[in-house]
């Protein structure tokens, strides 16, 4: 195994990227629409996902879940349940391993759990459990929950072994209770700038609680071998998950091993980290019974305990000059964490704080964000944590500000955009590669081409809107702390095994990795097998498949390993053939020299193993400019998204078809956020916790015409110029549609989803939610 | 109370015990280990449990298992082979119509049924044909691309839209 000192690899990797960014890569691997390596098993139905896995002598778990949102469990009697035929163990909440206290904090919280020989028996036994709960006054509104006198859901910043919890100092005297996280920041003098601004525009926005609705419901199988816990389940961030689970269960990190099923299913952040009422429950039952225990969420529990996007409330105040220059922005956000933290309250807040400064020049800026515990169902990660919500608020607001100043919203944005090489207003260094201007220009050109010849009938309202969005690639600040390693082994038959920390969740990362190896080494992508290395391996990677880092960082490590493998292979071949390395060309698994053409397998006598490494010294921002045209039915308020153009800077498209697929998927989640989806609750009880009642987008809700414009800004720090795509492509979608609705009806829906009833009321200048209030 | 049903599953006769209220999906997945039939919701919305019952698309989570007695059930396992994919599967491969793939068997079966019962169609017809199936990854675009290209191909081979039969 060859291994270089940390640091040298990444600098070489960056250097290599620079060269490639200037010279378009050849078409032998990257930059081509290579077919997905996993596609055959998926179209044939032979792929085995988390909920398909079964193991010998496995018990089935069922969980008794709270129907009341807030209370203290006084007694839980599992005797009768334990006596049921087929039941092997029944545990009350307090008997579960880990940090379970006697408090119920949301509908769906765990009261007790049963393990039985079959699922039906386990569920039947739940009916035999008797319990007594003292109900407490619940709190469902985050803005109320944070104030003095509110019912206490948790002490401020409880130690529930969440990753990245950080010390906070709350400077707002009104924020007293139930604080999950808090961020305050300012630069310049906002008060002065607002006092002297030509226009000051103030407005509030609310974003809904929404669910990933991954179709493969949560399913895990927990088992113990001596003191070693093994959990098989689909998780994207395995190293972090092992640490959190170990801390929560009060066992060593090394004593937890998480493996993914043969084919992991979609995540969108919903499968990044463990969940309180999931893995720990299965682990406890398995420990109690000494047998493997399988716990699967029914669909309704997905909504109760599978985590949602944080519901947020924003207040934005922007100062501008007469000629459309932003002079100040004051932002306040309150995010609803629900009954338990998922460790990402702080990401909601930091993304809300930082992302506007990646996009616009804002000389005076003040930000305050708080995430708050309530008795609602828990919130957690969902594609574009915080940035999806924040971008909706900001880009809606910018649209209003542009209208106030009397400027075209696109011109207004261009006037205030940060340019490449320009320092951010918070002093955080310059934007390296932006691509946003090209996104705007190409997106607009395509949008106009499609929509210009459209005429509308007199009985429909047509509106057009644009929104920008940006998100950084990777998990953090690009401070070099996030690293990834990859191991490549070429066997003597010429095939290559790539071991990475990636998890193929449908995003296509395995295919991308095989393309990179194919490109660097000169083998066909089909000759590359991509595997996950276990967290116990000597290879380094702390985060796995999260934060749009797979292609950028894991891909960087694979590329680094690929260049090493290529150079070692060429050396070996030139020795074997007694020629100069410069005369060796390897293409499609075949070695070409001036004198001969032979296959790699004819020449390679010993396998070659190399390790590559990439370090996130940067956190490049990816940009998108999205354009929407909507048609509103004035008789019903129904919104039809007729046209959508997503122009997205991806740095470099390693697989253009899969890039399109990511963009189209982002548009779906954005369309839902804009006009379809909301997990409604009545006193903390979700009202639409089934796929029959909760509205997910079908092809009918999708734009009639959807065009993706792939912009390639050649990011110097990413492999071949690539940067993150999955997360950054979502935030601009919903505000583009919201702005188009505003354009169509003359009033703004500030609380998506813009359902037909909300739009119908808004057309008459009325507020549906005030006149027909929803309990919460 | 149990009942015994005998039916043809992917070309083979099976006899199995079930309950009057047991959904076909559960019988297929749990008693017959037919894990190619996926499980996503219990409300008939998502379509991942789609099977063909006497060549008509049904959602097996909403189909009572006793109803299949004496009938023919086809799952994705009976559509194409690894060596010789069904034309619908080939188009899904060519058009990148799957990402995580959990919904794919249902979409393939819905498409097979759609082509069986349709002569000419456009993209709007295809949208209606698959709106009973949910995909969370693709935004449906590439699935519709796959189906659209089938229109051209199957025009020439309209006699056997079920391919492998």
């Amino acid at each position: 195994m060859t291994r270089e000192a940390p640091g040298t690899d990444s600098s070489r990797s960056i250097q290599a990227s620079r060269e490639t960014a200037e010279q378009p890569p050849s078409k032998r691997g990257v930059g081509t629409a290579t077919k997905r390596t996993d596609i055959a098993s998926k179209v044939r139905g032979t792929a085995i996902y988390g909920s398909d896995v079964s193991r010998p002598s496995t018990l089935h778990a069922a969980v008794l879940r709270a129907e009341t949102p807030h209370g203290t469990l006084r007694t839980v009697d599992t005797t009768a349940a334990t006596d049921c035929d087929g039941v092997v163990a029944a545990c009350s909440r307090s008997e579960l391993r880990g940090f379970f206290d006697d408090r119920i904090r949301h509908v769906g919280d765990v009261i007790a759990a049963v393990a039985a020989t079959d699922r039906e028996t386990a569920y039947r036994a739940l009916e035999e459990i008797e319990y007594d709960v003292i109900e407490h006054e619940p709190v469902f509104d985050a803005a109320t929950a944070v104030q003095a006198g509110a019912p206490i859901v948790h002490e401020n910043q409880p130690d529930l072994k969440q990753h990245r919890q950080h010390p906070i100092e709350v400077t707002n005297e009104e924020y007293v209770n139930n604080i999950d996280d808090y961020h305050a920041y300012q630069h310049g003098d906002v008060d002065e700038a607002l006092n002297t601004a030509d226009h000051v525009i103030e407005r509030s926005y609310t974003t809904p609680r929404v669910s990933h609705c991954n179709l493969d419901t949560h399913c895990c199988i927990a088992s113990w071998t001596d003191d070693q816990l093994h959990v098989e389940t689909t998780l994207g961030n395995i190293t972090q998950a092992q640490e959190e689970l170990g801390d929560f269960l009060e066992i060593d990190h090394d004593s937890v091993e998480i493996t993914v099923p043969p084919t992991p299913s979609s995540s969108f952040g919903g499968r990044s980290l463990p969940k309180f009422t999931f893995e720990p429950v299965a682990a406890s039952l398995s420990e109690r019974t000494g047998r493997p225990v399988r716990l699967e969420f029914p669909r309704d529990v997905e909504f109760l305990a599978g985590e949602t996007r944080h519901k947020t409330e924003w207040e934005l105040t922007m100062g501008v000059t007469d000629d459309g220059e932003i002079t100040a922005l004051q932002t306040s956000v309150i995010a609803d964490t629900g009954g338990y933290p998922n460790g990402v309250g702080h990401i909601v807040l930091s993304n809300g704080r930082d992302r506007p400064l990646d996009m616009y020049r804002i000389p005076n800026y003040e930000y305050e964000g708080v995430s708050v515990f309530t008795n609602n169902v828990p919130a957690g990660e969902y594609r574009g944590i915080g940035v999806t919500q924040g971008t909706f608020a900001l880009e809606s607001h910018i649209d209003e500000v542009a209208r106030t100043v009397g400027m075209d919203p696109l011109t207004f944005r261009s006037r205030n955009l940060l340019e490449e090489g320009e320092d951010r207003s918070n002093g955080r260094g310059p934007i390296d590669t932006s691509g946003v201007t090209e996104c705007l220009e190409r997106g607009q050109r395509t949008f106009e081409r499609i929509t210009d010849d459209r005429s509308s009938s007199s009985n429909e309202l047509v509106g057009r809107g644009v929104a920008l969005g940006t998100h950084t690639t990777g998990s953090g600040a690009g401070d070099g702390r996030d690293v990834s390693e990859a191991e490549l082994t070429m066997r003597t038959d010429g095939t290559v095994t790539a071991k990475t920390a990636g998890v193929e969740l449908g995003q296509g990362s395995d295919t991308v990795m095989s393309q990179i190896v194919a490109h660097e080494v000169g083998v066909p992508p089909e000759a590359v097998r991509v595997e996950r290395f276990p967290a116990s391996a000597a290879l380094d990677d702390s985060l796995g498949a999260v934060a749009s880092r797979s292609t950028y960082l894991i891909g960087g490590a694979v590329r680094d390993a690929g260049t090493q493998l290529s150079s070692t292979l060429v050396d070996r071949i030139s020795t074997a053939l007694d020629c100069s390395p410069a005369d060796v060309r390897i293409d499609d698994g075949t070695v070409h020299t001036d004198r001969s053409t032979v296959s790699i397998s004819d020449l390679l006598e010993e396998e070659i193993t190399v390790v590559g490494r990439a370090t996130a010294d940067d956190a490049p921002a990816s940009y998108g400019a999205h354009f929407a045209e909507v048609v509103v039915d004035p008789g019903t308020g129904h919104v039809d998204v007729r046209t959508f153009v997503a122009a997205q800077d991806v740095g470099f498209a390693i697989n253009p078809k899969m890039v399109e697929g990511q963009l189209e998927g982002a548009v779906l989640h954005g369309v839902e956020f804009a006009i379809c989806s909301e997990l409604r609750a009545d006193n903390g009880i979700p009202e639409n916790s089934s796929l029959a009642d909760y509205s997910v987008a079908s092809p009918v809700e999708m734009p009639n015409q959807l065009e993706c414009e792939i912009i390639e800004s050649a990011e110097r720090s990413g492999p071949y110029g690539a940067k993150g795509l999955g997360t950054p492509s979502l935030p601009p979608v919903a505000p583009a549609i919201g702005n188009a609705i505003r354009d169509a009806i003359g009033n703004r829906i500030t609380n998506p989803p813009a359902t037909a009833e909300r739009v119908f009321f808004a057309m008459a200048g009325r507020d549906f939610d005030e006149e027909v209030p929803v309990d919460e | 109370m149990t009942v015994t049903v005998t039916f043809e599953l992917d070309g083979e006769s099976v006899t199995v015990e079930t309950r009057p209220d047991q959904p076909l999906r559960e019988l297929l997945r749990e008693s017959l280990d037919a894990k190619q039939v996926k499980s996503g919701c219990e409300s008939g919305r998502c379509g991942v449990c789609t099977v063909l019952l006497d060549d008509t698309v049904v959602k097996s989570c909403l189909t009572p298992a006793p109803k299949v007695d004496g009938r023919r059930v086809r799952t994705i396992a009976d559509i194409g082979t690894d060596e010789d994919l069904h034309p619908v599967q080939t188009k899904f491969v060519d058009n990148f119509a799957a990402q995580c793939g959990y919904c794919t068997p249902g979409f393939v079966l819905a498409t097979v049924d759609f082509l069986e019962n349709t002569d000419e169609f456009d993209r709007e017809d295809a949208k209606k044909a698959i709106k009973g199936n949910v995909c969370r990854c693709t935004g449906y675009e590439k699935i519709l691309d796959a189906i659209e290209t089938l229109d051209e191909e199957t025009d020439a081979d309209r006699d056997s839209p079920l391919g492998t039969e």
Side-chain angles (χ1 to χ4, degrees), chain A residues 420-421 431-435 620-623 649 713-716 723:
Chain A
E420 268 185 27
I431 295 291
D432 276 343
T433 52
S434 160
S622 301
Y623 293 83
D649 170 30
S713 63
E715 165 58 34
R716 64 172 180 83
K723 52 186 174 183

Side-chain angles (χ1 to χ4, degrees), chain A residues 248-272:
Chain A
F248 187 79
L249 297 172
E250 299 182 289
I251 54 178
D252 290 344
H253 299 167
D254 293 345
S255 300
V256 184
E257 183 191 32
I258 293 171
T259 57
V260 295
T263 307
S265 48
S266 65
S267 168
F268 311 116
R271 300 186 202 272
S272 291

Side-chain angles (χ1 to χ4, degrees), chain A residues 44 79 86 159 161 184 189 227 231 269 320 322 345 371 380 382 417 440 448 458 522 525 600 607 610 634 747 775:
Chain A
R44 289 239 48 241
T79 318
D159 181 13
K161 306 302 174 191
D189 186 339
D227 293 334
V231 183
V320 286
D322 275 331
S371 53
Y382 187 166
L417 278 181
L440 269 171
E448 285 177 351
S458 56
I600 292 174
E607 64 181 38
V610 296
N747 282 314
D775 293 333

Side-chain angles (χ1 to χ4, degrees), chain A residues 237-542:
Chain A
N237 185 351
I238 288 171
T239 309
Q240 196 74 57
Q242 288 181 169
E243 290 176 7
E244 276 196 14
L245 203 51
D247 286 342
F248 187 79
L249 297 172
E250 299 182 289
I251 54 178
D252 290 344
H253 299 167
D254 293 345
S255 300
V256 184
E257 183 191 32
I258 293 171
T259 57
V260 295
T263 307
S265 48
S266 65
S267 168
F268 311 116
R271 300 186 202 272
S272 291
L273 289 169
K275 308 200 165 53
F276 278 93
T277 65
F278 185 48
E279 296 93 341
V281 175
S284 297
L285 288 169
S286 173
E287 186 180 33
R288 178 68 71 96
T289 59
R291 289 171 63 175
V293 170
R294 179 183 190 273
L295 174 57
E296 182 175 11
F297 278 2
R299 176 55 62 183
D300 63 328
V301 175
E302 287 286 319
F303 291 97
L304 302 178
E307 295 176 354
T308 65
R309 188 184 289 291
H310 288 70
K311 181 178 179 176
T312 55
E313 292 172 48
W314 301 78
E315 281 180 26
L316 269 64
T317 307
M318 186 174 272
V320 286
T321 63
D322 275 331
D323 59 353
E325 186 181 322
I326 298 172
T327 56
L329 176 63
Q330 192 172 44
T331 297
S332 151
V333 60
I334 300 177
D336 183 347
T337 298
Y340 292 99
N342 170 275
V344 294
H346 79 100
I347 301 180
V348 174
L349 303 183
S350 59
N351 280 339
R353 176 193 65 202
D354 295 340
R355 300 294 76 84
L357 306 176
D358 294 336
M359 183 70 80
Y360 298 112
R361 213 175 290 118
I362 304 173
N364 301 286
Y365 184 57
E366 191 175 289
Y367 174 86
E368 182 180 55
V370 64
S371 53
V372 183
F373 296 113
T374 65
N375 294 112
N376 292 309
V377 296
E381 291 194 46
Y382 187 166
R383 191 173 184 174
I385 313 165
V387 65
T388 299
Q389 298 97 310
T391 303
F392 181 84
L394 179 67
E395 289 297 303
S396 300
H397 200 64
I398 292 233
D399 202 66
E400 284 302 312
V401 171
R403 286 170 184 280
T404 305
V405 181
M407 278 174 84
D408 167 68
L410 221 153
T411 313
F412 179 87
R413 286 180 171 86
S414 299
R415 170 105 171 70
N416 290 284
L417 278 181
L418 273 184
E419 288 172 14
E420 268 185 27
E422 185 176 348
D423 277 340
R424 294 166 168 93
S425 312
N426 57 3
R428 263 196 168 175
I431 295 291
D432 276 343
T433 52
S434 160
V436 66
T437 308
E438 201 182 344
C439 289
L440 269 171
E441 289 171 1
R442 270 182 48 193
Q444 187 185 17
R445 213 159 47 230
T446 302
F447 187 64
E448 285 177 351
R449 175 173 54 78
I450 300 173
T451 53
D452 264 6
D453 57 349
R454 292 257 168 83
S455 58
S456 59
S457 67
S458 56
N459 60 350
E460 59 185 24
L461 300 166
V462 178
R464 292 172 190 173
V466 61
L468 303 182
T470 182
H471 191 58
T472 46
T473 301
S475 63
D479 52 9
R481 283 191 300 182
D482 190 8
V483 299
S484 188
E485 291 184 330
E487 180 185 280
L488 297 184
T489 299
M490 177 172 264
R491 302 188 197 291
T492 51
D493 64 0
T495 63
V496 179
T497 301
K499 289 188 178 171
T500 79
V503 183
E504 170 58 79
L505 297 158
Q507 80 282 52
S509 61
D510 280 3
T511 306
V512 164
M513 300 313 153
S514 65
Q515 286 182 260
I516 293 174
V517 175
H519 182 83
E520 293 300 332
V521 182
V523 295
E526 313 84 73
V528 183
R529 182 183 161 79
V530 182
E531 295 176 359
R532 239 200 77 74
F533 62 70
S536 56
L539 297 163
D540 200 3
D541 188 290
S542 52

Side-chain angles (χ1 to χ4, degrees), chain A residues 42 49 52 660 672 697, chain B residues 29 38 99-100 136 140 142:
Chain A
K42 289 179 173 177
Y49 297 85
D52 302 330
E660 276 180 19
E672 279 185 8
Chain B
R29 281 176 63 83
K38 300 304 178 191
Q99 287 185 29
C100 98
R136 302 298 295 154
Y140 306 102
K142 305 237 174 296

